[in-house]
Amino acid sequence: MSTSEASEELLQEFLADPAHLTLDLAHARCRLTEGHEHHHPEVYLVDLQQRHLVPQTDVAPVLPVDGSLAGWAYRTQALRVEESETGGVTAWLPLLDGAERLGVLGVHTPALTTATLVRSRALASLLAMMITSKRAFEDSFVRHTRTERMHLTSELLRAFLPPRTIGNSHVVSTAVLEPAYELGGDAFDHSLTQTKLHVSVIDAMGHDLASGLTSAVALAACRNARRNGADLPTLVRCVDEALAGWLPEQYCTAVLAQLEYETGLLRWSNCGHPAPLLIRGDQLIVDALEREADPPMGAPAQLSTEPRRTHEVRLEPGDRVLLYTDGITEARTREEKLFGLERFADYVIRATAGGELAPETLRRLIHSILDSQSGGQLRDDATILMFEWRPPAR
């Protein structure tokens, strides 16, 4: 039996054995590499702020996302190979769940053959799916990806947040949110249906547990309406009613939007929030999505006699749309200068021109903002969500 046939049989036996459903990651990895004593795979998960790759064993060292070949594989979502200090080579493969970057898999082997590479790619895919399915209830994954103690409001909001990045053949949506461990009321959501991308960015009043509850109720109401088939105006109304009914003293600003995959038609509602930005090619299309904002969501909307407005625009292939909270543009450098819209947009434009992937663009952008702050701390929550419409060529 050839090596590839033996690996395929091992994989089939693993998946066919019901016992694999209850195995932890370490035991599953051992089962999947039985008979390949010269191949030593190591799983590294990225930390919450995407600065470090943390090994899932105590043997290997933590690796920086910036400044290591493992980090290069994570940043580019591509294979990287380097000579090992103990002989042989180490292949670094990205751990991806769909469009979401989880970390990397390091495979140490005497030589990287075609069979080894195929087996390693299959192992990375399977382990990524296992990590995604188990991290909701196995706290070991969460602890490995945190470097600080998380505040209660942050714990509440993060329980509601979706993966950082989602996508399909037509669109990719990605988001970042800081301060990672001390959130107040910022939140984001994005989801895919057969025909549309749904996105929202929310900024609740205040910076306490009540703010977190406001954003949590807004997210829940939004999802409930969306999953019941509501159109955008109905969805916005459902969020208004939920907040006014359950948290009448609270309110939030938000942008809720839907993008049709096939046509590029973008619909959005702006509820007291900063206007989205449109980047086309190498320039910011000034005021392309600037519209007069409606009142914030919740009680303020109930007091208004004017109906909510839904705006429309048709995107062009390759367009990138940015939704953000005012913590981004109002962030100040050490010299007390505002980060501002112009610098914000320019960063994304330069990253796009360099061919950078959307999740990597936002990772580096939020780090740039944080690193420019005094003490590396933001004065307010800062959230960015960016989606790119990239329909297949006809």
Side-chain angles (χ1 to χ4, degrees), residues 141-182:
F141 292 124
V142 177
R143 287 198 299 268
H144 273 93
T145 57
R146 292 184 181 180
T147 59
E148 299 178 29
R149 184 182 180 87
M150 183 163 290
H151 290 202
L152 178 58
T153 305
S154 297
E155 195 75 66
L156 170 70
L157 280 178
R158 289 203 172 274
F160 281 84
L161 296 182
R164 273 187 294 254
T165 305
I166 62 173
N168 57 23
S169 60
H170 288 76
V171 67
V172 62
S173 177
T174 186
V176 289
L177 201 163
E178 287 285 350
Y181 299 93
E182 300 178 22

Side-chain angles (χ1 to χ4, degrees), residues 282-331:
D282 60 354
Q283 61 181 330
L284 171 68
I285 308 301
V286 179
D287 297 335
L289 307 180
E290 185 77 40
R291 306 289 188 275
E292 183 181 356
D294 292 342
M297 307 191 86
Q302 302 298 306
L303 298 175
S304 175
T305 58
E306 298 296 324
R308 293 286 195 191
R309 291 168 291 185
T310 300
H311 311 290
E312 293 186 0
V313 71
R314 198 170 296 276
L315 301 184
E316 295 182 5
D319 280 356
R320 288 184 171 185
V321 176
L322 289 95
L323 281 60
Y324 60 95
T325 60
D326 55 14
I328 292 291
T329 53
E330 293 177 6

Side-chain angles (χ1 to χ4, degrees), residues 6 29 52 59 72 87 106 114 126 128 169 175 200 209 244 247 252 295 297 370:
R29 185 189 60 188
H52 309 287
V59 178
W72 187 273
T114 301
L126 183 56
S169 60
S200 56
L209 187 59
L247 296 167
C252 65
M297 307 191 86
L370 283 171

Side-chain angles (χ1 to χ4, degrees), residues 63-256:
L63 300 174
V65 172
D66 295 297
S68 69
L69 210 61
W72 187 273
Y74 176 82
R75 299 194 309 270
T76 62
Q77 299 178 205
L79 171 71
R80 291 294 183 269
V81 182
E82 64 180 339
E83 293 184 358
S84 175
E85 294 180 358
T86 57
V89 297
T90 299
W92 298 104
L93 300 98
L95 286 172
L96 301 170
D97 179 47
E100 172 75 338
R101 304 185 296 180
L102 304 176
V104 296
L105 177 69
V107 178
H108 311 286
T109 180
L112 188 63
T113 64
T114 301
T116 302
L117 182 56
V118 170
R119 184 164 56 250
S120 299
R121 289 189 186 279
L123 180 61
S125 296
L126 183 56
L127 290 177
M129 288 187 283
M130 291 186 66
I131 291 167
T132 300
S133 68
K134 293 177 181 294
R135 64 179 172 176
F137 59 86
E138 285 195 9
D139 282 353
S140 57
F141 292 124
V142 177
R143 287 198 299 268
H144 273 93
T145 57
R146 292 184 181 180
T147 59
E148 299 178 29
R149 184 182 180 87
M150 183 163 290
H151 290 202
L152 178 58
T153 305
S154 297
E155 195 75 66
L156 170 70
L157 280 178
R158 289 203 172 274
F160 281 84
L161 296 182
R164 273 187 294 254
T165 305
I166 62 173
N168 57 23
S169 60
H170 288 76
V171 67
V172 62
S173 177
T174 186
V176 289
L177 201 163
E178 287 285 350
Y181 299 93
E182 300 178 22
L183 296 178
D186 273 20
F188 71 89
D189 197 14
H190 48 198
S191 67
L192 303 166
T193 68
Q194 290 184 331
T195 59
K196 294 185 181 72
L197 166 72
H198 299 257
V199 299
S200 56
V201 165
I202 297 169
D203 185 358
M205 173 193 70
H207 201 275
D208 52 18
L209 187 59
S211 305
L213 286 170
T214 303
S215 292
V217 170
L219 287 176
C222 182
R223 290 173 182 170
N224 181 251
R226 187 179 71 222
R227 291 166 181 171
N228 285 324
D231 59 11
L232 187 58
T234 304
L235 189 152
V236 174
R237 185 176 68 250
C238 288
V239 178
D240 279 332
E241 292 173 352
L243 289 176
W246 292 100
L247 296 167
E249 302 299 320
Q250 296 293 119
Y251 66 88
C252 65
T253 68
V255 170
L256 295 88

